[in-house]
């Protein structure tokens, strides 16, 4: 197993040339699909997409009600 790397970015700190090279190399990597959490596409998975939109609307309704001081 690889070595665990931890890094805390401090705002305003410039990136090193090595970090910039790592980011540029990562841009060239292919996109990997996540089998456990597939993309929700309105064309290929319309039921999942509709459920997602309902959940987002419900969440937004609760957030707005909370901001207005009204409990849902």
């Amino acid at each position: 197993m690889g070595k665990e790397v931890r890094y805390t970015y401090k705002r305003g700190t410039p990136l090193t040339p090595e970090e910039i090279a790592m980011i540029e190399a990562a841009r060239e990597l292919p996109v990997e699909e996540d089998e456990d959490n597939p993309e929700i596409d309105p064309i290929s998975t319309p039921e999942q997409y509709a459920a997602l939109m309902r959940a987002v609307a419900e969440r937004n309704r609760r957030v707005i009600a909370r901001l207005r001081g009204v409990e849902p």
Side-chain angles (χ1 to χ4, degrees):
M1 200 150 107
K3 178 182 173 188
E4 184 174 325
V5 177
R6 293 179 184 250
Y7 178 77
T8 304
Y9 176 75
K10 294 179 183 167
R11 189 176 290 239
T13 305
L15 296 174
T16 66
E18 180 183 53
E19 292 168 333
I20 293 171
M22 288 172 51
I23 292 169
E24 290 173 352
R27 288 181 182 159
E28 302 300 321
L29 295 174
V31 175
E32 292 185 23
E33 296 295 327
D34 185 0
E35 294 174 5
D36 295 333
N37 190 15
E39 182 178 353
I40 298 176
D41 180 42
I43 295 173
S44 62
T45 56
E47 297 85 12
Q48 283 184 324
Y49 186 78
L52 173 67
M53 291 297 106
R54 286 191 302 272
V56 168
E58 176 61 24
R59 184 223 35 214
N60 291 345
R61 185 188 66 74
R62 285 194 314 265
V63 168
I64 291 170
R66 191 173 301 129
L67 290 173
R68 291 181 179 164
V70 179
E71 284 298 315

